[in-house]
Every structure is written in structure tokens, then in C-alpha cells.
Amino acid sequence: MKTQVFRINNIGSAKSFLEESAQILKNGGVIAFPTETVYGLGANVFDEKAVSKIFLAKGRPNDNPLIVHISKKEQIYSLAKNVPQKAKKLMDKFWPGPLTIILEKKDVVSNKATAGLSSVAIRMPKNKIAQELIGLSKIPLAAPSANSSGKPSPTKGEHVIDDLMGKVDAIIVSEEENIGLESTVIDLTSKIPVILRPGKITPLQIKNTIGNISTSNENVKGSPKCPGVKYKHYSPKAKVYTFKSEKEIQDFYNKNKSKKIKKLAYSNKNEMAKNLFRDFREADKRGFQLILVKEVSEKGIGSAIMNRLRKASQN
Ligand code: TXA
Ligand code: MG
């Protein structure tokens, strides 16, 4: 398949690229686009065939549902059966932004996109290009992160090109900065809302908006509530080790000198969030065998960072 690459330098120069992209989406195509978290790979959520192409391009397991992206808050009513007060409060406070809300789905939403679940995950991204693209195509876009399944989410256009060139209709590249980690996912279908995936928006911010929530995504019956969590994620090929202190890193390093080791260090948590997935990918490209990282406190975006690090260091 021929993949067009649209490089956008500023939103003013974007118009013709975005119009062409919107047309491709209306015709059932798949397009990678930037968001304020990571790049997404989008298709028309009401078109089962188009949504199937996302799974194919990523090599994504069919039982892992997608997030639906909208550009206007009202679009939530075309996707969700009902929108409870708590959802409205969260939308008012955090949308557009890196928060995904799970609600009971309407029948029109493709079962392929929700992997057969009766719920749907919805998010209104803040990135202007994403908003324009959804607005111009006039359809909500089912969009997981735009990486090959199993690889770290793409935070740069080049990562998407590495993973999806020849597999999708187009890739929109913009070098605008992003958060670098995926959105916070909150499930509002249970009696007490549950955070299924930590992100930039913290449990405390959510608690302050809607009251009591649970941060545990353990599921009583064994199958995870968030199907994505059962897959190995965010993982570079190199083995990732995390440490409590510099001294532990140094000791480990000294004992493993025969291996090709990359030590990652950051000056603060936001910089770490922004660059972690990029650094995983670069370490792999340069053939490192081990990646060593110092843990951070689980405050603020720290809980999202530690969540991704734990997943990456699982064997
Ligand atoms: O920041 C983000 O959320 C990015 C950008 C592109 O928006 N998207 C993203 O999508 O990270 P993805 O597919 O890589 O992760 C979505 C997660 C998966 O773990 C999936 O299992 C979960 O959300 N999910 C989606 N729909 C769900 C549902 N109805 N019930 C429970 N979990 C759901
Ligand atoms: Mg993903």
C-alpha cells in the first residue's frame, strides 16, 4: 500500500493536507495523526471495515478495544447510551485533554472497535491538528496508539513511519511537543469509577472533580476490565531494569560490564514522560541489551511513568 506522509509545520499550512486526509477517512481509509499524548491511528468508528484495517496495520489482537476520538463534546451523545453527571463534570473540567472516559455504548458504534464490549472509550484530544481532522471528516475516529502492537507508543512522526509505512493510507507528521504517555483511562460503567490506566491527569484531580474513585484495575473474575492490560506493552527489545537509587544502578552496571547497557537519566518527571518511549526506541535501534532507569515517586505524572516502566520491565 502507498502511504502518503503529510508534514505539517504550522496549523495555517495544514488546510489542504487535512482536507485530503478527511476525504480518505470518509472513504474508509486509515490515517495516523498527532495528539497531545502520543500519535493515534484513526478510522471511521461507524465503518466496521475501516476499523478492521487499524487492527491489521498494527497487528493488534482483536480482543483489545480502541478509544474513540471526538472534536466536539456533543459528539459523545452519538456514541454513549447515556452520559451520567460524573461524565459531564469530567468533560467540563478536562476536555479537550488527556482523559478517556468509558461509558455504555450505543449500537451504532462498531463492535469491532469495542472488541465486542458493551462499553466504549471516548476522548476529546487537545491537539489542534487532531481536532481539525476529526472536525473536517465529521466522524468520530476510532484510534489506538499508532505503533505496531507490542512496541512503545509513538511520540514522534518518525516512530510512526518506522512502524506503519506501507500499511496505512497516510501519516500526518507534526513536530509539536506532546506529553509522551497515553491518556488516563477512567471507567464510569461501574458503581464506583475505576482508573484503568494512569496518565497525566491524576487520581487526585479526578477525585476532586467527581468524588470517590478506585485506582485498582484488578478484576474479580480474572479477565482484566481493561483488555489492553493483559498484553505486554511499551516494551523495547532491550531488557528494562528499574532501581531505587543511583548507587544500585552503578552496582548493577559494574556487575554487567560485558553487556551493552544504556542508562537513562532525566532532569524532571515531565521530561521523562516526554522522552521515555523515544529513548526506548533509540536504545533498540542502537542495539543496547539492557536499559537501566531510576524510579520516580508516584506523585503527579509519576504514577503514569512508573506504570509504563513496570510494564516495560515485565519479562
Ligand atoms: O492517549 C491515548 O489514549 C492514545 C491517543 C492516540 O489518544 N490512545 C491510546 O489507545 O493509547 P490504545 O488503544 O493504545 O489504548 C487504549 C486502552 C487499551 O488498554 C484498551 O484496552 C482500553 O484503552 N480500552 C479501550 N476501550 C475500552 C473499553 N470499552 N473498556 C475497557 N478498556 C478499554
Ligand atoms: Mg497502545
Side-chain angles (χ1 to χ4, degrees):
M1 180 192 284
K2 186 179 175 310
T3 301
Q4 299 191 71
V5 177
F6 299 132
R7 290 183 190 273
I8 293 178
N9 302 316
N10 59 65
I11 192 78
S13 73
K15 200 161 184 281
S16 67
F17 285 160
L18 289 175
E19 275 166 1
E20 193 172 342
S21 301
Q23 202 51 52
I24 293 172
L25 290 167
K26 283 184 198 163
N27 293 338
V30 275
I31 295 196
F33 60 95
T35 84
E36 80 280 26
T37 56
V38 301
Y39 277 78
L41 179 62
N44 180 356
V45 72
F46 301 126
D47 180 344
E48 191 111 349
K49 237 175 106 182
V51 173
S52 299
K53 293 181 190 167
I54 295 176
F55 286 84
L56 201 68
K58 281 181 59 97
R60 183 177 178 101
N62 284 317
D63 62 353
N64 193 3
L66 312 180
I67 295 173
V68 185
H69 295 65
I70 58 179
S71 62
K72 291 199 183 77
K73 288 181 188 164
E74 306 85 83
Q75 282 177 304
I76 198 172
Y77 297 96
S78 68
L79 304 165
K81 234 181 211 162
N82 49 59
V83 181
Q85 271 309 317
K86 284 180 184 167
K88 288 182 187 153
K89 284 187 182 164
L90 290 172
M91 288 157 65
D92 281 345
K93 181 97 184 178
F94 300 110
W95 279 7
L99 180 70
T100 297
I101 301 174
I102 296 180
L103 298 172
E104 291 301 331
K105 89 172 185 78
K106 277 195 167 160
D107 291 342
V108 284
V109 176
S110 146
N111 283 316
K112 180 81 197 169
T114 62
L117 296 176
S118 58
S119 60
V120 59
I122 307 167
R123 165 165 124 77
M124 179 178 172
K126 195 168 190 173
N127 179 289
K128 284 279 172 280
I129 294 168
Q131 287 183 2
E132 286 274 319
L133 180 67
I134 302 162
L136 284 170
S137 62
K138 298 194 174 68
I139 31 182
L141 299 182
S145 49
N147 50 293
S148 297
S149 205
K151 281 214 194 170
S153 290
T155 56
K156 303 259 170 221
E158 296 317 303
H159 303 161
V160 184
I161 290 171
D162 282 348
D163 283 12
L164 298 180
M165 200 66 183
K167 297 180 176 169
V168 299
D169 294 287
I171 298 171
I172 303 175
V173 175
S174 133
E175 292 314 339
E176 243 176 285
E177 291 215 324
N178 49 36
I179 295 165
L181 298 180
E182 308 87 345
S183 62
T184 305
V185 177
I186 182 153
D187 184 358
L188 292 187
T189 65
S190 46
K191 210 160 172 214
I192 296 176
V194 189
I195 295 188
L196 299 181
R197 180 175 73 186
K200 168 103 178 158
I201 293 174
T202 62
L204 185 63
Q205 285 177 290
I206 294 177
K207 251 179 225 162
N208 289 340
T209 313
I210 58 168
N212 196 19
I213 55 166
S214 160
T215 51
S216 150
N217 60 21
E218 296 298 306
N219 186 278
V220 256
K221 293 208 184 77
S223 80
K225 189 91 210 263
C226 192
V229 303
K230 72 172 184 253
Y231 296 106
K232 190 169 158 70
H233 259 88
Y234 321 112
S235 353
K237 288 191 211 97
K239 242 169 127 30
V240 177
Y241 290 90
T242 68
F243 300 89
K244 300 239 177 303
S245 66
E246 286 299 337
K247 180 172 183 314
E248 283 181 37
I249 294 185
Q250 207 46 50
D251 290 348
F252 184 94
Y253 191 86
N254 292 338
K255 279 188 204 133
N256 291 277
K257 275 192 174 140
S258 60
K259 300 253 172 65
K260 202 170 170 201
I261 301 181
K262 177 73 189 170
K263 287 193 271 183
L264 299 180
Y266 303 94
S267 53
N268 61 61
K269 285 184 199 164
N270 285 335
E271 191 214 319
M272 185 169 187
K274 202 185 308 169
N275 294 318
L276 187 67
F277 288 161
R278 179 203 67 184
D279 292 344
F280 281 175
R281 282 179 180 258
E282 279 181 8
D284 276 348
K285 269 201 168 161
R286 291 162 53 200
F288 285 98
Q289 295 166 291
L290 309 179
I291 295 173
L292 315 187
V293 199
K294 189 161 152 236
E295 294 172 8
V296 293
S297 79
E298 305 234 6
K299 283 200 204 107
I301 200 166
S303 64
I305 293 173
M306 285 309 298
N307 168 270
R308 306 311 189 270
L309 278 179
R310 276 192 287 268
K311 280 173 182 285
S313 59
Q314 271 166 19
N315 295 308

